[in-house]
Amino acid sequence: MKILVTGATGYIGGLLAPRLLEAGHSVRCLSRNAERLAGRFSGAEIVDGDVLDENSLRAAFANIDVAYYLVHSMSDSRSFGERDRSAAETFGRVARECGVRRIVYLGGLGADDASLSRHLASRHEVGEILQHSGVETIEFRAAMIIGAGSISFEMLRYLTERLPMMIAPRWVMSRCQPIAVADVLRYLLLALDLPRSESRIYEIGGADVLTYRDMMLGYARLRNLKRKIVIVPFFTPRLSSYWVHIVTPISARLAQPLILGLNNEVIVRDTAAQRDFPQIHPIGFERAVSDALDRYRSSGPETTWFDAFDIRKLPATFAGAREGMLIDRRERIAHATPRRVASVFMRLGGTQGWLYGDRLWRVRGWLDRLVGGVGLRRGRRSDTNLRVGDAVDFWRVDAITPDRLLRLRAEMKLPGKAWLEFDAEDIGGGRTRLTQTAFYEPRGLPGFLYWYVVFPFHGLIFGNMASRIAALAEEPELSVSA
């Protein structure tokens, strides 16, 4: 089929588009900033446009069979509902006029009554507008989506990781039916195969019905964290959103609509999805969290978390939190081929050192041995060649692509997990973009404290190391002596 995906820069759209391509469909992605998608989905057509702009929609809908509507406002402003309403009306009308056969929309669970939050009510209104557009609309309604990168899951993750004792408002006792992101994607893909019929709504959820408190404590058990939750009556959604903003990387603007939605009970009451999608057997909460925490399978069995996480969306120099990871990213441009750049970082460690601050690296190795770690004593098997599984001082080669990529997994003693990745990308004109990224997944509060203690040294070591790699790649004769 010829398929249009809106919201491809978002969480679900970004995971759905490559799966549609793998299934053999022709995919077109509509984005207000097409540059953000450049090169991200090999084989997809990327077009500039806006769901509020009728002219750009007409161009995007040309020859399209099915359109996925995966956009919505995450704002605490009073005008978000009007904007979402206008976008849905324009999208539905232009889709009908352009001959689109089906719209697939992902909305939110919740009973249609006066207690529904403004954001959930708006999500339902968008679905209703699309259903009355004259185009057959398949609307899925889901509660919290469990997956690395889902904003509701990341809020749960950060709160539980960072707070040994949580003073929680009453909304943590509201019941919810969370669903794994892998199951959501299966529903969205199988919606293409449904027989033509009238518009319909499917309520989808995982195997478990839990309170938010249950989910935080369940997450803590899986991470071997001891957590205590004390419920108090005086936290308003606004106060809660400010607290989330202080404790996590999620802004109060984004947290408030999420928290308002948590006041509602969001569970599946209609079993139509079980009837029409018998091949899907949604997994439970603990399995979904385990998959999300598995950095090698969190985005699906066919790819790794590192592949799903598009590092190019970050600034050239970045230090901060994304999707449960603390990240230090350094980008350099070298006037050399990717092969020459890769030949430098493939020779790091061992007797040749780390190009900058070798004394600091030795101190870190000594500290690691002091607490029972491997230190730097292992060196490396070969000064010039690497293969997956090789030891490189207190790292282990986790992934390697000749002349392109090296990923090292830390084996020193840490209150978390760490990786160091080097990528050499040809950008034309005899130039290569070197992207050097340190990923760190902290475990509990000690893990976060460790990151911030060593952060000044990261700035010194990682920044200079990236510069040295680029400079050495440009030399006529490669030499990687420290």
Side-chain angles (χ1 to χ4, degrees):
M1 298 183 187
K2 295 184 177 179
I3 296 172
L4 176 69
V5 177
T6 64
T9 55
Y11 178 60
I12 294 296
L15 293 174
L16 178 65
R19 284 160 172 78
L20 290 167
L21 289 164
E22 289 165 10
H25 299 293
S26 174
V27 177
R28 180 181 296 153
C29 297
L30 176 71
S31 174
R32 286 182 295 177
N33 186 357
E35 290 183 0
R36 292 179 61 189
L37 296 177
R40 186 173 175 190
F41 307 125
S42 178
E45 179 186 359
I46 311 299
V47 296
D48 269 309
D50 192 317
V51 292
L52 288 163
D53 179 9
E54 183 173 329
N55 291 330
S56 64
L57 277 178
R58 289 190 185 280
F61 279 135
N63 301 315
I64 290 295
D65 299 310
V66 177
Y68 283 90
Y69 193 79
L70 303 174
V71 295
H72 65 275
S73 299
M74 285 295 292
S75 168
D76 56 358
S77 70
R78 292 288 176 182
S79 61
F80 81 90
E82 181 180 343
R83 176 183 174 84
D84 280 355
R85 185 181 309 114
S86 177
E89 289 171 347
T90 304
F91 190 89
R93 175 173 52 81
V94 178
R96 182 187 70 247
E97 293 170 357
C98 292
V100 175
R101 293 191 288 109
R102 176 174 289 172
I103 295 172
V104 182
Y105 167 60
L106 179 61
L109 264 178
D112 286 303
D113 55 38
S115 66
L116 201 63
S117 74
R118 290 191 301 122
H119 276 264
L120 284 177
S122 176
R123 301 289 292 276
H124 287 199
E125 183 185 25
V126 166
E128 184 176 352
I129 291 170
L130 294 174
Q131 290 169 40
H132 289 87
S133 66
V135 180
E136 179 198 14
T137 297
I138 307 299
E139 178 182 354
F140 292 102
R141 292 183 176 180
M144 178 189 291
I145 296 175
I146 305 297
S150 162
I151 188 170
S152 52
F153 175 68
E154 295 304 332
M155 186 170 79
L156 173 83
R157 181 212 300 270
Y158 280 112
L159 288 173
T160 310
E161 289 278 357
R162 294 189 174 188
L163 299 175
M165 188 177 88
M166 288 173 271
I167 308 298
R170 285 176 293 187
W171 53 256
V172 300
M173 298 306 294
S174 298
R175 292 198 304 165
C176 175
Q177 194 164 351
I179 183 170
V181 64
D183 287 330
V184 173
L185 293 168
R186 289 188 192 103
Y187 280 116
L188 292 172
L189 287 167
L190 287 172
L192 297 173
D193 301 326
L194 288 173
R196 294 289 299 273
S197 182
E198 297 178 349
S199 295
R200 68 212 94 158
I201 298 172
Y202 292 107
E203 297 184 350
I204 58 175
D208 301 318
V209 176
L210 305 162
T211 66
Y212 202 81
R213 178 182 183 275
D214 293 334
M215 288 188 283
M216 286 192 287
L217 293 177
Y219 177 96
R221 283 194 302 273
L222 287 170
R223 292 280 284 157
N224 294 316
L225 301 170
K226 293 183 178 180
R227 294 294 181 260
K228 185 175 179 61
I229 299 175
V230 178
I231 298 173
V232 296
F234 52 79
F235 263 115
T236 67
R238 184 173 293 276
L239 284 175
S240 297
S241 68
Y242 292 148
W243 176 241
V244 169
H245 177 70
I246 292 170
V247 175
T248 80
I250 299 168
S251 70
R253 179 182 62 84
L254 294 177
Q256 188 165 336
L258 290 174
I259 291 168
L260 286 167
L262 293 172
N263 280 300
N264 299 115
E265 185 171 85
V266 282
I267 60 176
V268 173
R269 292 181 169 85
D270 187 328
T271 60
Q274 296 177 24
R275 180 194 68 224
D276 291 352
F277 299 92
Q279 62 273 65
I280 298 180
H281 303 282
I283 63 176
F285 175 75
E286 289 196 1
R287 166 74 184 281
V289 172
S290 295
D291 286 351
L293 294 176
D294 187 342
R295 291 301 179 182
Y296 298 93
R297 294 193 303 108
S298 62
S299 60
E302 75 284 2
T303 185
T304 69
W305 179 87
F306 294 97
D307 297 325
F309 183 81
D310 190 0
I311 200 71
R312 290 168 299 180
K313 293 190 292 184
L314 297 177
T317 298
F318 176 84
R322 285 291 188 278
E323 302 182 12
M325 286 279 198
L326 293 166
I327 294 170
D328 185 296
R329 178 185 191 268
R330 312 280 168 164
E331 183 181 292
R332 300 289 186 271
I333 303 299
H335 293 272
T337 64
R339 183 177 185 179
R340 287 177 67 85
V341 174
S343 70
V344 180
F345 60 65
M346 292 290 183
R347 297 167 70 184
L348 289 169
T351 59
Q352 303 197 60
W354 293 87
L355 301 185
Y356 185 85
D358 275 353
R359 288 184 180 179
L360 292 174
W361 285 94
R362 286 194 288 271
V363 169
R364 182 64 183 89
W366 178 81
L367 291 173
D368 189 55
R369 292 196 63 181
L370 193 64
V371 295
V374 297
L376 297 179
R377 66 183 184 274
R378 297 186 307 189
R380 49 183 288 167
R381 175 185 56 84
S382 165
D383 286 340
T384 57
N385 297 309
L386 284 178
R387 60 192 179 197
V388 172
D390 276 359
V392 180
D393 295 338
F394 43 46
W395 304 89
R396 181 77 61 181
V397 178
D398 195 50
I400 194 166
T401 301
D403 302 331
R404 175 63 194 260
L405 180 136
L406 171 66
R407 184 187 308 135
L408 304 172
R409 183 180 72 253
E411 292 191 333
M412 72 279 279
K413 295 288 186 178
L414 292 170
K417 298 178 182 178
W419 295 262
L420 182 60
E421 182 178 273
F422 305 88
D423 181 75
E425 179 187 3
D426 188 352
I427 57 175
R431 298 180 305 155
T432 296
R433 178 185 290 111
L434 166 68
T435 303
Q436 174 190 289
T437 312
F439 297 90
Y440 177 62
E441 181 184 59
R443 182 180 177 274
L445 187 59
F448 287 95
L449 294 176
Y450 170 83
W451 172 267
Y452 291 112
V453 167
V454 302
F455 182 76
F457 299 100
H458 285 176
L460 180 67
I461 293 174
F462 289 150
N464 283 287
M465 184 167 66
S467 297
R468 286 276 287 153
I469 292 171
L472 287 169
E474 294 176 345
E475 292 183 0
E477 296 294 331
L478 290 179
S479 170
V480 293
S481 58

